[in-house]
mmCIF file of all heavy atoms in Angstrom:
data_model
loop_
_atom_site.group_PDB
_atom_site.id
_atom_site.type_symbol
_atom_site.label_atom_id
_atom_site.label_comp_id
_atom_site.label_asym_id
_atom_site.label_seq_id
_atom_site.Cartn_x
_atom_site.Cartn_y
_atom_site.Cartn_z
ATOM 1 N N ASP A 76 61.048 -17.353 -66.189
ATOM 2 C CA ASP A 76 60.093 -18.189 -66.923
ATOM 3 C C ASP A 76 58.669 -17.887 -66.479
ATOM 4 O O ASP A 76 57.741 -17.979 -67.264
ATOM 5 C CB ASP A 76 60.404 -19.669 -66.713
ATOM 6 C CG ASP A 76 61.710 -20.074 -67.376
ATOM 7 O OD1 ASP A 76 62.089 -19.460 -68.393
ATOM 8 O OD2 ASP A 76 62.351 -21.001 -66.866
ATOM 9 N N GLY A 77 58.500 -17.534 -65.229
ATOM 10 C CA GLY A 77 57.188 -17.193 -64.688
ATOM 11 C C GLY A 77 57.232 -15.801 -64.112
ATOM 12 O O GLY A 77 57.550 -14.830 -64.797
ATOM 13 N N SER A 78 56.993 -15.718 -62.815
ATOM 14 C CA SER A 78 56.975 -14.433 -62.114
ATOM 15 C C SER A 78 58.383 -13.861 -61.969
ATOM 16 O O SER A 78 59.292 -14.533 -61.475
ATOM 17 C CB SER A 78 56.361 -14.641 -60.728
ATOM 18 O OG SER A 78 56.692 -13.587 -59.859
ATOM 19 N N GLY A 79 58.550 -12.608 -62.368
ATOM 20 C CA GLY A 79 59.820 -11.927 -62.164
ATOM 21 C C GLY A 79 60.140 -11.784 -60.685
ATOM 22 O O GLY A 79 61.291 -11.933 -60.272
ATOM 23 N N ASP A 80 59.121 -11.508 -59.879
ATOM 24 C CA ASP A 80 59.335 -11.377 -58.439
ATOM 25 C C ASP A 80 59.871 -12.677 -57.848
ATOM 26 O O ASP A 80 60.807 -12.664 -57.043
ATOM 27 C CB ASP A 80 58.038 -10.995 -57.727
ATOM 28 C CG ASP A 80 57.592 -9.577 -58.014
ATOM 29 O OD1 ASP A 80 58.269 -8.869 -58.798
ATOM 30 O OD2 ASP A 80 56.557 -9.170 -57.454
ATOM 31 N N ASP A 81 59.283 -13.801 -58.238
ATOM 32 C CA ASP A 81 59.747 -15.094 -57.728
ATOM 33 C C ASP A 81 61.190 -15.352 -58.132
ATOM 34 O O ASP A 81 61.997 -15.857 -57.339
ATOM 35 C CB ASP A 81 58.865 -16.238 -58.224
ATOM 36 C CG ASP A 81 57.478 -16.232 -57.596
ATOM 37 O OD1 ASP A 81 57.263 -15.519 -56.590
ATOM 38 O OD2 ASP A 81 56.600 -16.947 -58.125
ATOM 39 N N ARG A 82 61.556 -14.984 -59.357
ATOM 40 C CA ARG A 82 62.936 -15.197 -59.829
ATOM 41 C C ARG A 82 63.903 -14.311 -59.052
ATOM 42 O O ARG A 82 65.010 -14.739 -58.720
ATOM 43 C CB ARG A 82 63.027 -14.922 -61.336
ATOM 44 C CG ARG A 82 64.366 -15.270 -61.924
ATOM 45 C CD ARG A 82 64.612 -16.785 -61.846
ATOM 46 N NE ARG A 82 65.904 -17.118 -62.391
ATOM 47 C CZ ARG A 82 66.935 -17.572 -61.661
ATOM 48 N NH1 ARG A 82 66.799 -17.752 -60.365
ATOM 49 N NH2 ARG A 82 68.081 -17.850 -62.232
ATOM 50 N N ILE A 83 63.502 -13.093 -58.737
ATOM 51 C CA ILE A 83 64.350 -12.204 -57.941
ATOM 52 C C ILE A 83 64.576 -12.785 -56.554
ATOM 53 O O ILE A 83 65.708 -12.801 -56.045
ATOM 54 C CB ILE A 83 63.743 -10.785 -57.878
ATOM 55 C CG1 ILE A 83 63.841 -10.127 -59.262
ATOM 56 C CG2 ILE A 83 64.430 -9.938 -56.806
ATOM 57 C CD1 ILE A 83 63.022 -8.868 -59.411
ATOM 58 N N VAL A 84 63.532 -13.290 -55.928
ATOM 59 C CA VAL A 84 63.662 -13.912 -54.609
ATOM 60 C C VAL A 84 64.620 -15.102 -54.691
ATOM 61 O O VAL A 84 65.483 -15.278 -53.819
ATOM 62 C CB VAL A 84 62.284 -14.321 -54.052
ATOM 63 C CG1 VAL A 84 62.427 -15.165 -52.799
ATOM 64 C CG2 VAL A 84 61.441 -13.080 -53.777
ATOM 65 N N GLU A 85 64.511 -15.915 -55.738
ATOM 66 C CA GLU A 85 65.423 -17.048 -55.922
ATOM 67 C C GLU A 85 66.865 -16.573 -56.044
ATOM 68 O O GLU A 85 67.774 -17.168 -55.451
ATOM 69 C CB GLU A 85 65.057 -17.838 -57.175
ATOM 70 C CG GLU A 85 63.786 -18.632 -57.078
ATOM 71 C CD GLU A 85 63.368 -19.232 -58.418
ATOM 72 O OE1 GLU A 85 64.129 -19.137 -59.409
ATOM 73 O OE2 GLU A 85 62.263 -19.791 -58.472
ATOM 74 N N LEU A 86 67.097 -15.518 -56.806
ATOM 75 C CA LEU A 86 68.452 -14.996 -56.974
ATOM 76 C C LEU A 86 69.016 -14.495 -55.647
ATOM 77 O O LEU A 86 70.189 -14.733 -55.338
ATOM 78 C CB LEU A 86 68.481 -13.879 -58.014
ATOM 79 C CG LEU A 86 68.345 -14.311 -59.467
ATOM 80 C CD1 LEU A 86 68.063 -13.104 -60.358
ATOM 81 C CD2 LEU A 86 69.605 -15.033 -59.929
ATOM 82 N N VAL A 87 68.213 -13.797 -54.875
ATOM 83 C CA VAL A 87 68.672 -13.327 -53.572
ATOM 84 C C VAL A 87 69.043 -14.519 -52.697
ATOM 85 O O VAL A 87 70.109 -14.535 -52.062
ATOM 86 C CB VAL A 87 67.610 -12.439 -52.883
ATOM 87 C CG1 VAL A 87 67.987 -12.153 -51.430
ATOM 88 C CG2 VAL A 87 67.422 -11.135 -53.651
ATOM 89 N N ALA A 88 68.190 -15.537 -52.676
ATOM 90 C CA ALA A 88 68.453 -16.713 -51.850
ATOM 91 C C ALA A 88 69.680 -17.484 -52.325
ATOM 92 O O ALA A 88 70.501 -17.927 -51.513
ATOM 93 C CB ALA A 88 67.223 -17.634 -51.845
ATOM 94 N N ASP A 89 69.838 -17.625 -53.639
ATOM 95 C CA ASP A 89 70.923 -18.444 -54.193
ATOM 96 C C ASP A 89 72.258 -17.720 -54.282
ATOM 97 O O ASP A 89 73.309 -18.341 -54.165
ATOM 98 C CB ASP A 89 70.547 -18.950 -55.597
ATOM 99 C CG ASP A 89 69.368 -19.902 -55.595
ATOM 100 O OD1 ASP A 89 68.999 -20.403 -54.506
ATOM 101 O OD2 ASP A 89 68.805 -20.137 -56.685
ATOM 102 N N GLU A 90 72.231 -16.409 -54.550
ATOM 103 C CA GLU A 90 73.472 -15.692 -54.841
ATOM 104 C C GLU A 90 73.787 -14.556 -53.880
ATOM 105 O O GLU A 90 74.880 -14.005 -53.928
ATOM 106 C CB GLU A 90 73.425 -15.137 -56.277
ATOM 107 C CG GLU A 90 73.272 -16.207 -57.332
ATOM 108 C CD GLU A 90 73.287 -15.656 -58.748
ATOM 109 O OE1 GLU A 90 73.856 -14.555 -58.958
ATOM 110 O OE2 GLU A 90 72.738 -16.318 -59.639
ATOM 111 N N GLY A 91 72.841 -14.189 -53.032
ATOM 112 C CA GLY A 91 73.034 -13.037 -52.162
ATOM 113 C C GLY A 91 73.701 -13.331 -50.844
ATOM 114 O O GLY A 91 74.192 -12.422 -50.185
ATOM 115 N N GLY A 92 73.762 -14.584 -50.446
ATOM 116 C CA GLY A 92 74.337 -14.933 -49.154
ATOM 117 C C GLY A 92 75.819 -14.612 -49.065
ATOM 118 O O GLY A 92 76.573 -14.825 -50.001
ATOM 119 N N GLY A 93 76.220 -14.047 -47.949
ATOM 120 C CA GLY A 93 77.623 -13.783 -47.715
ATOM 121 C C GLY A 93 78.158 -12.522 -48.370
ATOM 122 O O GLY A 93 79.359 -12.258 -48.314
ATOM 123 N N ARG A 94 77.302 -11.745 -49.007
ATOM 124 C CA ARG A 94 77.745 -10.478 -49.594
ATOM 125 C C ARG A 94 76.598 -9.473 -49.548
ATOM 126 O O ARG A 94 75.445 -9.835 -49.359
ATOM 127 C CB ARG A 94 78.246 -10.666 -51.017
ATOM 128 C CG ARG A 94 77.209 -11.171 -52.011
ATOM 129 C CD ARG A 94 77.856 -11.261 -53.379
ATOM 130 N NE ARG A 94 77.067 -12.017 -54.318
ATOM 131 C CZ ARG A 94 77.252 -11.943 -55.618
ATOM 132 N NH1 ARG A 94 78.188 -11.171 -56.123
ATOM 133 N NH2 ARG A 94 76.516 -12.648 -56.442
ATOM 134 N N ASP A 95 76.956 -8.224 -49.750
ATOM 135 C CA ASP A 95 75.948 -7.169 -49.744
ATOM 136 C C ASP A 95 75.057 -7.348 -50.973
ATOM 137 O O ASP A 95 75.551 -7.455 -52.099
ATOM 138 C CB ASP A 95 76.634 -5.806 -49.771
ATOM 139 C CG ASP A 95 75.742 -4.685 -49.251
ATOM 140 O OD1 ASP A 95 74.549 -4.942 -48.987
ATOM 141 O OD2 ASP A 95 76.241 -3.565 -49.118
ATOM 142 N N CYS A 96 73.761 -7.410 -50.767
ATOM 143 C CA CYS A 96 72.802 -7.615 -51.849
ATOM 144 C C CYS A 96 71.759 -6.512 -51.786
ATOM 145 O O CYS A 96 71.158 -6.267 -50.743
ATOM 146 C CB CYS A 96 72.147 -8.990 -51.703
ATOM 147 S SG CYS A 96 70.940 -9.375 -52.978
ATOM 148 N N LEU A 97 71.558 -5.855 -52.922
ATOM 149 C CA LEU A 97 70.611 -4.744 -53.028
ATOM 150 C C LEU A 97 69.637 -5.044 -54.157
ATOM 151 O O LEU A 97 70.057 -5.371 -55.270
ATOM 152 C CB LEU A 97 71.363 -3.444 -53.316
ATOM 153 C CG LEU A 97 70.526 -2.184 -53.505
ATOM 154 C CD1 LEU A 97 69.943 -1.726 -52.157
ATOM 155 C CD2 LEU A 97 71.376 -1.073 -54.108
ATOM 156 N N VAL A 98 68.344 -4.940 -53.888
ATOM 157 C CA VAL A 98 67.315 -5.139 -54.901
ATOM 158 C C VAL A 98 66.698 -3.783 -55.219
ATOM 159 O O VAL A 98 66.301 -3.037 -54.319
ATOM 160 C CB VAL A 98 66.234 -6.133 -54.429
ATOM 161 C CG1 VAL A 98 65.106 -6.247 -55.441
ATOM 162 C CG2 VAL A 98 66.862 -7.500 -54.160
ATOM 163 N N VAL A 99 66.620 -3.479 -56.514
ATOM 164 C CA VAL A 99 66.048 -2.214 -56.969
ATOM 165 C C VAL A 99 64.619 -2.472 -57.436
ATOM 166 O O VAL A 99 64.392 -3.106 -58.470
ATOM 167 C CB VAL A 99 66.886 -1.600 -58.113
ATOM 168 C CG1 VAL A 99 66.285 -0.265 -58.544
ATOM 169 C CG2 VAL A 99 68.348 -1.428 -57.686
ATOM 170 N N THR A 100 63.658 -1.997 -56.668
ATOM 171 C CA THR A 100 62.240 -2.159 -56.980
ATOM 172 C C THR A 100 61.424 -1.237 -56.084
ATOM 173 O O THR A 100 61.884 -0.843 -55.017
ATOM 174 C CB THR A 100 61.776 -3.619 -56.773
ATOM 175 O OG1 THR A 100 60.434 -3.764 -57.241
ATOM 176 C CG2 THR A 100 61.849 -4.050 -55.320
ATOM 177 N N ALA A 101 60.212 -0.935 -56.511
ATOM 178 C CA ALA A 101 59.268 -0.201 -55.671
ATOM 179 C C ALA A 101 58.131 -1.111 -55.224
ATOM 180 O O ALA A 101 57.237 -0.678 -54.499
ATOM 181 C CB ALA A 101 58.709 0.998 -56.430
ATOM 182 N N ASP A 102 58.165 -2.362 -55.641
ATOM 183 C CA ASP A 102 57.115 -3.329 -55.333
ATOM 184 C C ASP A 102 57.174 -3.680 -53.839
ATOM 185 O O ASP A 102 58.131 -4.306 -53.378
ATOM 186 C CB ASP A 102 57.321 -4.569 -56.201
ATOM 187 C CG ASP A 102 56.263 -5.624 -55.993
ATOM 188 O OD1 ASP A 102 56.032 -6.032 -54.836
ATOM 189 O OD2 ASP A 102 55.688 -6.076 -56.995
ATOM 190 N N ARG A 103 56.164 -3.289 -53.094
ATOM 191 C CA ARG A 103 56.169 -3.489 -51.643
ATOM 192 C C ARG A 103 56.248 -4.953 -51.244
ATOM 193 O O ARG A 103 56.975 -5.314 -50.326
ATOM 194 C CB ARG A 103 54.936 -2.848 -51.021
ATOM 195 C CG ARG A 103 55.002 -1.355 -51.029
ATOM 196 C CD ARG A 103 53.804 -0.745 -50.351
ATOM 197 N NE ARG A 103 53.816 0.700 -50.560
ATOM 198 C CZ ARG A 103 52.789 1.474 -50.376
ATOM 199 N NH1 ARG A 103 51.641 0.957 -49.975
ATOM 200 N NH2 ARG A 103 52.892 2.769 -50.587
ATOM 201 N N GLY A 104 55.476 -5.790 -51.918
ATOM 202 C CA GLY A 104 55.498 -7.212 -51.589
ATOM 203 C C GLY A 104 56.869 -7.826 -51.839
ATOM 204 O O GLY A 104 57.368 -8.610 -51.026
ATOM 205 N N LEU A 105 57.476 -7.484 -52.958
ATOM 206 C CA LEU A 105 58.811 -7.995 -53.276
ATOM 207 C C LEU A 105 59.830 -7.465 -52.274
ATOM 208 O O LEU A 105 60.704 -8.206 -51.806
ATOM 209 C CB LEU A 105 59.204 -7.620 -54.701
ATOM 210 C CG LEU A 105 60.610 -8.031 -55.136
ATOM 211 C CD1 LEU A 105 60.815 -9.542 -55.024
ATOM 212 C CD2 LEU A 105 60.880 -7.555 -56.555
ATOM 213 N N ARG A 106 59.719 -6.207 -51.918
ATOM 214 C CA ARG A 106 60.644 -5.626 -50.943
ATOM 215 C C ARG A 106 60.619 -6.420 -49.642
ATOM 216 O O ARG A 106 61.664 -6.760 -49.083
ATOM 217 C CB ARG A 106 60.289 -4.158 -50.682
ATOM 218 C CG ARG A 106 60.587 -3.248 -51.859
ATOM 219 C CD ARG A 106 59.963 -1.869 -51.710
ATOM 220 N NE ARG A 106 60.734 -0.945 -50.918
ATOM 221 C CZ ARG A 106 61.618 -0.078 -51.418
ATOM 222 N NH1 ARG A 106 61.862 -0.046 -52.704
ATOM 223 N NH2 ARG A 106 62.266 0.739 -50.620
ATOM 224 N N GLU A 107 59.430 -6.748 -49.166
ATOM 225 C CA GLU A 107 59.305 -7.518 -47.925
ATOM 226 C C GLU A 107 59.925 -8.904 -48.069
ATOM 227 O O GLU A 107 60.620 -9.374 -47.157
ATOM 228 C CB GLU A 107 57.832 -7.637 -47.532
ATOM 229 C CG GLU A 107 57.224 -6.323 -47.091
ATOM 230 C CD GLU A 107 55.718 -6.400 -46.874
ATOM 231 O OE1 GLU A 107 55.134 -7.507 -46.968
ATOM 232 O OE2 GLU A 107 55.124 -5.335 -46.620
ATOM 233 N N ARG A 108 59.699 -9.544 -49.200
ATOM 234 C CA ARG A 108 60.220 -10.898 -49.412
ATOM 235 C C ARG A 108 61.745 -10.922 -49.425
ATOM 236 O O ARG A 108 62.358 -11.800 -48.814
ATOM 237 C CB ARG A 108 59.679 -11.474 -50.718
ATOM 238 C CG ARG A 108 58.184 -11.760 -50.675
ATOM 239 C CD ARG A 108 57.642 -12.154 -52.027
ATOM 240 N NE ARG A 108 58.153 -13.455 -52.449
ATOM 241 C CZ ARG A 108 58.018 -13.947 -53.672
ATOM 242 N NH1 ARG A 108 57.390 -13.247 -54.610
ATOM 243 N NH2 ARG A 108 58.501 -15.127 -53.979
ATOM 244 N N VAL A 109 62.376 -9.969 -50.100
ATOM 245 C CA VAL A 109 63.841 -10.002 -50.180
ATOM 246 C C VAL A 109 64.490 -9.493 -48.898
ATOM 247 O O VAL A 109 65.563 -9.965 -48.522
ATOM 248 C CB VAL A 109 64.380 -9.271 -51.433
ATOM 249 C CG1 VAL A 109 63.872 -9.947 -52.698
ATOM 250 C CG2 VAL A 109 64.064 -7.788 -51.423
ATOM 251 N N GLN A 110 63.833 -8.565 -48.211
ATOM 252 C CA GLN A 110 64.377 -8.107 -46.933
ATOM 253 C C GLN A 110 64.374 -9.245 -45.917
ATOM 254 O O GLN A 110 65.285 -9.339 -45.097
ATOM 255 C CB GLN A 110 63.589 -6.909 -46.412
ATOM 256 C CG GLN A 110 63.909 -5.634 -47.163
ATOM 257 C CD GLN A 110 63.056 -4.456 -46.734
ATOM 258 O OE1 GLN A 110 61.849 -4.581 -46.530
ATOM 259 N NE2 GLN A 110 63.685 -3.305 -46.605
#
Side-chain angles (χ1 to χ4, degrees):
D76 292 331
S78 161
D80 290 2
D81 290 346
R82 187 66 181 112
I83 291 167
V84 171
E85 289 172 7
L86 286 167
V87 170
D89 295 345
E90 300 182 24
R94 62 178 166 162
D95 202 353
C96 180
L97 178 72
V98 175
V99 181
T100 187
D102 182 306
R103 288 183 188 164
L105 177 58
R106 290 168 83 93
E107 291 173 5
R108 291 172 68 191
V109 298
Q110 285 175 318

